[in-house]
Amino acid sequence: MSTIETERPQARYALGHSPEEYDRLRTQARVWEDATGRLLDRVGLGPGASCLDAGCGPGETMRLMAERAGPTGRVLGIDTDSSLGAMALASLHDEGHRQCSFRAQDLTGGEPIPGAPFGLVYARLLLFHLPQRAAVLARLWDAVAPGGHLLVQDYDVRGITVLPALDSVGELMRVVGGVFHAVGADVHAGARLPQLFAQAGVGHPDGVDVAGRLEPFAVGRAFLERVFRSVLPVALAYGIITSAGATELLAVLDRDAARFPDCSMGWPLLIGAWKRKEQA
Ligand SMILES: C[S@@+](CC[C@H](N)C(=O)[O-])C[C@H]1O[C@@H](n2cnc3c(N)ncnc32)[C@H](O)[C@@H]1O
């Protein structure tokens, strides 16, 4: 087990910007590739399309967009994290997706979204983190071209279940939930997408999709542990857990995974909602 370091949070984004978190995001994106690809197809993303991936992170959805939009399309990723964006773009270009570009920008700021309007504006696991989620969603809707689509996917952590229930997982969720609460995130953002669409002036979604995942606890606990490790610096800074408590919790989680390797563990639900903008 690696050492746990204490540091002050630099920003309100709770998951941080470590190489381990970048790797976790890439792994998580592979898990949800089918669930996202099926919605990109559902809204009819095809050759020549112009796409925005808001909060693109490691650029894995940009790849799915580029594959569908083809060389005549364009795919822009926007994220506050310029290092992660640069890595994403280098790897997309290496794979031949030259129609991809990246812009470092804080979507909660007032700067216009470059290149708007787009035929598809997409955001996955972004609004969850933003206290200003309705205002950002309204800006994303403004960036949709007439006849184009807004498509959002976000988590509801109520999908996280272990059978039988384990105290270690309950405690881990207390810490993770406490961190997200402290920074103004919404751990039920996915389930609230229809209300959020209405609040942002988008209107009722044309469709809603719910994706889930069930794994043996021996496998799925890695997801929980990696999220825990990513939010830990913020948890320590806010006094939600002590360093000793975190070390003990991870040890108990190890023991529980050895005792109950086959018990079922649900991931958070990934909930999608989309809306087509009427032609002017
Ligand atoms: C959980 S990650 C999801 C990344 C990607 N959408 C995916 O599903 O793989 C959230 C991303 O949103 C970015 N982000 C957070 N706040 C942001 C903001 N205010 N403006 C733009 N990007 C932001 C983070 O840097 C991070 O890359």
Side-chain angles (χ1 to χ4, degrees), residues 12-17 21-22 24-26 28-30 32 36 53-61 78-82 84-85 102-109 122-132 136 153-155 270:
R12 294 176 66 93
Y13 180 63
L15 289 165
H17 303 280
E21 170 59 14
Y22 292 168
R24 188 192 72 78
L25 287 176
R26 291 186 195 101
Q28 174 178 254
R30 281 193 290 277
W32 295 119
T36 293
D53 187 2
C56 61
E60 296 298 320
T61 306
I78 292 184
D79 202 289
T80 41
D81 190 333
S82 53
L84 185 56
F102 172 76
R103 159 95 168 217
Q105 186 172 325
D106 181 347
L107 287 159
T108 65
Y122 174 83
R124 186 175 68 190
L125 307 177
L126 170 72
L127 299 177
F128 179 107
H129 295 281
L130 304 179
Q132 319 84 333
V136 171
Q153 287 184 296
D154 232 314
Y155 273 159
L270 183 68

Side-chain angles (χ1 to χ4, degrees), residues 2-280:
S2 62
T3 15
I4 290 161
E5 291 170 19
T6 307
E7 62 180 56
R8 302 288 319 168
Q10 298 298 307
R12 294 176 66 93
Y13 180 63
L15 289 165
H17 303 280
S18 64
E20 292 79 14
E21 170 59 14
Y22 292 168
D23 188 54
R24 188 192 72 78
L25 287 176
R26 291 186 195 101
T27 305
Q28 174 178 254
R30 281 193 290 277
V31 164
W32 295 119
E33 188 168 313
D34 287 351
T36 293
R38 130 170 97 77
L39 294 194
L40 296 179
D41 295 336
R42 175 72 182 72
V43 300
L45 187 63
S50 58
C51 317
L52 169 65
D53 187 2
C56 61
E60 296 298 320
T61 306
M62 292 172 69
R63 173 180 297 106
L64 302 182
M65 291 170 166
E67 286 165 358
R68 288 162 174 79
T72 58
R74 69 183 168 103
V75 178
L76 172 66
I78 292 184
D79 202 289
T80 41
D81 190 333
S82 53
S83 310
L84 185 56
M87 281 187 265
L89 198 59
S91 112
L92 287 163
H93 284 183
D94 278 354
E95 291 163 23
H97 300 304
R98 305 293 308 184
Q99 72 279 51
C100 292
S101 57
F102 172 76
R103 159 95 168 217
Q105 186 172 325
D106 181 347
L107 287 159
T108 65
E111 249 185 301
I113 292 178
F118 298 87
L120 174 66
V121 173
Y122 174 83
R124 186 175 68 190
L125 307 177
L126 170 72
L127 299 177
F128 179 107
H129 295 281
L130 304 179
Q132 319 84 333
R133 55 193 74 86
V136 171
L137 189 63
R139 295 192 65 218
L140 296 182
W141 180 238
D142 284 346
V144 176
H149 282 90
L150 174 67
L151 170 60
V152 179
Q153 287 184 296
D154 232 314
Y155 273 159
D156 186 328
V157 302
R158 283 175 298 177
I160 300 176
T161 50
V162 185
L163 287 173
L166 298 171
D167 288 349
S168 55
V169 174
E171 170 61 3
L172 184 145
M173 290 308 297
R174 179 195 71 79
V175 174
V176 171
V179 166
F180 285 134
H181 178 74
V183 300
D186 179 5
V187 295
H188 307 303
R192 279 198 258 265
L193 283 177
Q195 293 96 311
L196 203 57
F197 271 43
Q199 215 181 326
V202 178
H204 196 71
D206 294 334
V208 171
D209 176 89
V210 181
R213 181 176 177 88
L214 205 59
E215 285 181 330
F217 184 50
V219 178
R221 59 70 64 98
F223 167 77
L224 296 180
E225 179 175 340
R226 295 181 89 183
V227 172
F228 178 79
R229 287 185 179 277
S230 289
V231 301
L232 189 54
V234 182
L236 295 171
Y238 277 89
I240 294 169
I241 194 168
T242 62
S243 184
T247 303
E248 170 62 16
L249 175 54
L250 290 171
V252 178
L253 200 69
D254 276 346
R255 286 202 291 275
D256 280 350
R259 283 174 67 206
F260 305 103
D262 299 323
C263 84
S264 290
M265 190 201 107
W267 275 55
L269 298 174
L270 183 68
I271 302 179
W274 60 93
K275 178 87 175 175
R276 180 175 182 270
K277 192 180 261 190
E278 292 302 320
Q279 297 279 3

